[in-house]
Amino acid sequence: MTLPATESTTEMTVRRIAVQTPLAFGSLTARFEAAVPALDLAGLEQLAARGATWDELQRAAGHEAAYELYRFWTHSPSALLHLAGNDAPSRIYLIGSLALSARLFRIEPGTALHAPLRIELHAHRAGGTVMSFDQPGSQLGSYGPNKIRQAGYELDRLLGDLLEGLDLPRPTALRR
């Protein structure tokens, strides 16, 4: 039996933010990856499959992330897209907070669509690097419940703290 698809429409607008910096692409990606450590997702999934507790899982994540954010996934589309004549280096990340992701999933599993967050870095043709992302609070605000909206604002703050830690300007939208 197939259930009908549901749609929800909100008046909220997703706010896309692009921060341009004079830093070279390689320099900014190295700084970003140092500030947002990678998770060993395969190892954590194996631990969960063996019946680990949430506390054990968090301990196994290892290092404490300076900005409470971890890299869940990294992809370099430029490795393939240069074959089509695109020469700008680019890197895409899914980053997030383990604790906030767990809290959001408990409230509404569908929030996994927006937490972890998608971040893109690319070399700008005129020099420097651009970091682009959708404001977490504007994405999660579309779910409705106040607890989800508040978690979105917390992610806004964490992302703003990360930007400042990378010596990038904190966009007004991430000031709460």
Side-chain angles (χ1 to χ4, degrees), residues 8-105:
S8 67
T9 305
T10 64
E11 296 299 317
M12 304 212 50
T13 301
V14 172
R15 182 177 288 125
R16 181 154 302 116
I17 298 171
V19 178
Q20 189 163 350
T21 173
L23 294 170
F25 176 78
S27 174
L28 184 56
T29 56
R31 291 172 66 190
F32 181 86
E33 290 178 7
V36 184
L39 284 176
D40 174 13
L41 285 178
L44 294 177
E45 288 170 354
Q46 288 174 356
L47 203 68
R50 290 194 301 260
T53 66
W54 178 246
D55 288 339
E56 290 169 332
L57 193 79
Q58 286 185 300
R59 277 194 302 278
H63 37 67
E64 187 60 37
Y67 300 97
E68 299 177 42
L69 297 169
Y70 293 93
R71 276 184 288 132
F72 290 75
W73 176 80
T74 303
H75 175 64
S76 295
S78 48
L80 298 174
L81 297 178
H82 82 279
L83 298 172
N86 300 301
D87 60 353
S90 172
R91 211 114 335 117
I92 301 169
Y93 304 94
L94 288 180
I95 70 168
S97 160
L98 285 173
L100 274 175
S101 293
R103 191 167 85 208
L104 283 164
F105 196 83

Side-chain angles (χ1 to χ4, degrees), residues 80-150:
L80 298 174
L81 297 178
H82 82 279
L83 298 172
N86 300 301
D87 60 353
S90 172
R91 211 114 335 117
I92 301 169
Y93 304 94
L94 288 180
I95 70 168
S97 160
L98 285 173
L100 274 175
S101 293
R103 191 167 85 208
L104 283 164
F105 196 83
R106 235 183 345 266
I107 299 166
E108 168 54 57
T111 59
L113 182 62
H114 296 107
L117 317 168
R118 189 177 181 122
I119 307 282
E120 190 271 344
L121 301 176
H122 68 268
H124 192 274
R125 293 189 193 329
T129 304
V130 177
M131 177 187 286
S132 301
F133 52 89
D134 292 336
Q135 178 193 5
S138 70
Q139 289 180 312
L140 292 166
S142 68
Y143 286 89
N146 190 47
K147 289 180 179 182
I148 295 174
R149 210 172 5 265
Q150 290 304 314

